Amino acid sequence: MQNTNQIPENSRCEQAKYEYKKSSYSEIYEVLQSLRKDEILCDIKLETDDGGVIFGHKVVLASASPYFLAMFTNFSEKNQDQVAIGQLKSSALQLLIDFVYSGKISITEQNVQDLLAASNILQLQEVKNACCNFLQAQLCPTNVIGIIAIADFHDCTKLLTSSELYFKQHFSDVVEEEEFLSLSSEQIVKLISSDELTVPSEEKVCKIFESVIRWVKHDLDSRKPILPQLMEYVRLPLTSKNYILKNVVDDPLLNNCFKCKDYVFEALRYHLHKSDELITIPHNIRTKPRQPSGTYKVILAVGGAGINNEILDSTEWYDPKLNQWHFGPKMITSRYAGGLVVVNDNFALYFGGGNYESTFQSADALDVSSESPKWRPTYEMLVKRQWFGVGVINNYIYAVGGYNESCESCLNSAEVFDCRTQKWSRISSMSSRRFCIGLGVMKNLLYATCV
C-alpha cells in the first residue's frame, strides 16, 4: 500500500544554510589581555636586560609580530617558556605587548625613541609608523638634526626624507643650534651640497660659508681636512664682491688651504668679468643658484614689436603662481626676431634679431640671480641672423638658419656657442634654407622645422 503521507521527491525543500560573522573581536582580545595580566594560560615569559618580566601567549604574539612568529616557529625558543629579549627596555616592551593585545598605545616625547627602537626590532610596523609620524609632527630647528640621526639609524625612509627637507627649508635657523656642530662629515657634505637649501642669499646672517667655518672650527684637528670638500659646495661667486673681500679673503683657514684659495680666486674672477661688462656663463655648481623645494620657474618675454609696430626694448616676466606679469630691466638695444635662451636657470641670453633697418649678430646677457639684474653685452655670433631657431643642449647654445637682412636671403648655416670656452663655432649647415624656424631638442638631438 502506498504511503500517502510521504513528501514527493521533487517537492522537498533545499537544505538551509545561515552564515554568521562576528562583527568585532575586541571582546576576545580583552579576555586575552585579562588572562595575560592574571598570568593564566600564558606559555611564554619575556625577560629584558633591565630585569623586566612580561607574560604572554605565543600564538597571540606570533600573530602580530613577524619577529615573534619566526622565534616561536623556526628557532629553539619554540620549545621554551622563558626567553631573554635583549636591546629593549622593559617599559617599551610592556607598551608594545599591551598594544598587541589592545591595539592602543600612547606615544610621548619621553618614550618615542625607545618605542621606535623596540618596534623596529619586533617588526611592529604600525607602531613604527606611528612613532615616525609623531617625530615628524615635532620637527623644529632645535631637534631636526637629532631626528635625522634617529631616522637614519632605524631605517625610517619617509621620516628621513621629511626631516632632511625640513633642515634644508629652515637652514638659517638650524645652523644656529648646537646640534648643527654634531653633524658628521658625511651628513654636512650631503646637506651643504644640496640644491634645496633655502637661504635668502649665500651671505645672510646664517650664511652657508660661516656655518661651514663654524662647524670646522668646532673640532679643528679632525675636520680641517674636509674643508676643501665643503668649500666646493659654498657658492662664493653668488655672494657680493664686498662680502668676499671683507669676510672671506683674509680668513686664516682658507689662506692655509691651496684648494680653498682657488675657490676664492674663482669667485673674484667671476665678479671681475661682471665689472668688465661681460657675463661669464656659469659652468659649475658654485655659480648655479640653489633651487629650494617648492620654488617654481617663470616665463620671460624680451623685445619684440608692439601694437603700433614699434620695436621694443622691454623685459617682462610672468609669475604663474601669482598670475601676474612684472617688468624687468630694459635691453641695451631695441630688437625683435632674435633668439632667447636660459642657461643654468640664472642666465638669460638674447642674441641676433634686428630692427626694420638691419640684422644683428650681437648678444646680450641677463644675470637673473643678481640683486640688481641688467642686460650686458657678451660674445657676438659669427653670422647676422634673425627669425632663426635656438636650442640648448648641455650648455651648448645653437643658432640655426634664419634670415639676413643685408643679403636679403634665408640661411641654412648654423653655429654653436660653448659656454665653457665662451666661443661661437660653425657647425654643419642644414640641407635647406629656412627662416621662422621651430627648433626642438629631444634626446640631445636638434629638430628644425619651418613654421
Side-chain angles (χ1 to χ4, degrees):
M1 179 181 290
Q2 186 176 4
N3 184 358
T4 58
N5 294 324
Q6 186 176 359
I7 300 174
E9 189 71 26
N10 58 0
S11 64
R12 289 181 179 177
C13 295
E14 294 291 333
Q15 185 175 357
K17 181 180 180 181
Y18 173 69
E19 184 175 295
Y20 169 76
K21 185 176 181 180
K22 190 175 180 67
S23 60
S24 173
Y25 292 89
S26 59
E27 299 92 342
I28 295 177
Y29 278 95
E30 288 176 3
V31 173
L32 289 171
Q33 176 78 313
S34 177
L35 292 173
R36 183 182 72 84
K37 289 183 176 180
D38 293 335
E39 301 177 16
I40 299 174
L41 299 178
C42 294
D43 54 359
I44 189 65
K45 184 166 63 173
L46 307 175
E47 296 183 346
T48 58
D49 293 340
D50 58 2
V53 177
I54 301 169
F55 289 84
H57 306 89
K58 287 183 179 180
V59 66
V60 176
L61 300 181
S63 68
S65 163
Y67 175 90
F68 284 125
L69 177 62
M71 174 183 286
F72 298 142
T73 57
N74 299 326
F75 297 97
S76 59
E77 289 87 351
K78 66 181 180 180
N79 298 318
Q80 299 176 9
D81 58 6
Q82 183 173 323
V83 175
I85 305 292
Q87 303 178 9
L88 300 184
K89 290 185 177 180
S90 59
S91 57
L93 183 59
Q94 180 68 65
L95 288 172
L96 291 176
I97 299 302
D98 286 341
F99 170 78
V100 169
Y101 281 83
S102 68
K104 300 176 183 178
I105 193 166
S106 179
I107 302 173
T108 67
E109 292 183 11
Q110 289 71 37
N111 66 23
V112 63
Q113 292 192 49
D114 293 334
L115 285 177
L116 179 58
S119 61
N120 191 45
I121 292 174
L122 300 182
Q123 300 176 45
L124 291 170
Q125 193 62 42
E126 283 182 288
V127 179
K128 181 179 178 180
N129 291 341
C131 290
C132 290
N133 292 337
F134 178 87
L135 288 172
Q136 183 169 330
Q138 305 301 311
L139 281 171
C140 68
T142 60
N143 66 18
V144 62
I145 291 177
I147 291 178
I148 288 175
I150 293 170
D152 188 31
F153 184 79
H154 295 297
D155 195 28
C156 304
T157 306
K158 184 178 178 181
L159 178 61
L160 179 61
T161 300
S162 61
S163 55
E164 286 183 342
L165 179 59
Y166 182 94
F167 179 105
K168 296 167 186 175
Q169 292 177 337
H170 300 82
F171 178 83
S172 296
D173 296 322
V174 175
V175 295
E176 290 298 306
E177 303 297 330
E178 287 300 311
E179 270 197 344
F180 173 74
L181 301 177
S182 67
L183 285 173
S184 67
S185 300
E186 294 77 11
Q187 287 175 319
I188 193 170
V189 169
K190 180 181 179 181
L191 292 167
I192 294 297
S193 63
S194 173
D195 265 352
E196 296 181 345
L197 283 186
T198 302
V199 283
S201 77
E202 298 278 335
E203 62 184 46
K204 295 300 182 182
V205 177
C206 297
K207 54 195 162 293
I208 295 175
F209 169 71
E210 291 184 355
S211 65
V212 165
I213 297 299
R214 178 168 167 253
W215 181 86
V216 171
K217 287 182 176 180
H218 183 70
D219 188 1
L220 187 59
D221 291 338
S222 64
R223 295 178 176 180
K224 188 176 180 180
I226 201 176
L227 180 59
Q229 186 178 357
L230 291 173
M231 288 302 300
E232 179 181 357
Y233 300 110
V234 176
R235 307 184 183 191
L236 281 179
L238 302 184
T239 64
S240 70
K241 181 180 178 181
N242 289 337
Y243 179 83
I244 297 173
L245 294 175
K246 182 179 179 181
N247 300 283
V248 180
V249 169
D250 294 326
D251 187 280
L253 283 179
L254 302 185
N255 283 331
N256 291 323
C257 172
F258 289 110
K259 188 63 177 177
C260 295
K261 289 171 69 174
D262 287 341
Y263 293 139
V264 177
F265 293 148
E266 175 191 61
L268 292 174
R269 286 195 300 270
Y270 182 90
H271 286 281
L272 180 62
H273 282 297
K274 283 188 174 183
S275 64
D276 287 341
E277 299 295 319
L278 290 174
I279 295 295
T280 301
I281 305 300
H283 58 269
N284 62 46
I285 192 172
R286 289 175 297 284
T287 53
K288 180 182 178 182
R290 300 181 192 269
Q291 296 179 321
S293 177
T295 57
Y296 54 95
K297 299 182 184 295
V298 299
I299 299 172
L300 281 175
V302 180
I307 57 175
N308 297 318
N309 291 326
E310 73 277 16
I311 307 301
L312 304 176
D313 62 357
S314 60
T315 301
E316 294 184 59
W317 56 277
Y318 174 71
D319 185 335
K321 189 173 183 180
L322 299 177
N323 190 28
Q324 292 180 353
W325 284 93
H326 304 269
F327 281 103
K330 289 184 177 295
M331 302 175 67
I332 298 173
T333 305
S334 300
R335 63 173 81 187
Y336 79 124
L340 177 66
V341 297
V342 177
V343 181
N344 286 349
D345 288 326
N346 66 328
F347 272 81
L349 280 90
Y350 191 99
F351 45 98
N355 52 33
Y356 296 132
E357 298 176 354
S358 60
T359 301
F360 302 152
Q361 67 188 101
S362 60
D364 297 334
L366 176 69
D367 179 3
V368 296
S369 67
S370 172
E371 293 182 0
S372 301
K374 65 178 181 178
W375 289 96
R376 301 174 184 272
T378 186
Y379 302 92
E380 292 187 345
M381 293 192 297
L382 301 177
V383 176
K384 295 180 179 181
R385 61 180 84 225
Q386 57 182 314
W387 303 110
F388 57 98
V390 293
V392 180
I393 301 178
N394 298 327
N395 281 350
Y396 289 91
I397 303 171
Y398 294 85
V400 179
Y403 182 81
N404 190 322
E405 184 77 27
S406 60
C407 59
E408 297 184 350
S409 66
C410 297
L411 304 172
N412 64 348
S413 64
E415 53 189 293
V416 61
F417 182 75
D418 186 339
C419 294
R420 297 180 184 276
T421 63
Q422 303 286 292
K423 292 182 179 179
W424 287 94
S425 304
R426 293 183 183 274
I427 58 174
S428 299
S429 297
M430 294 186 294
S431 57
S432 302
R433 297 177 182 270
R434 294 184 173 94
F435 78 109
C436 291
I437 291 178
L439 195 66
V441 176
M442 181 179 292
K443 296 182 179 179
N444 288 338
L445 296 176
L446 291 173
Y447 294 86
T449 181
C450 283
V451 178

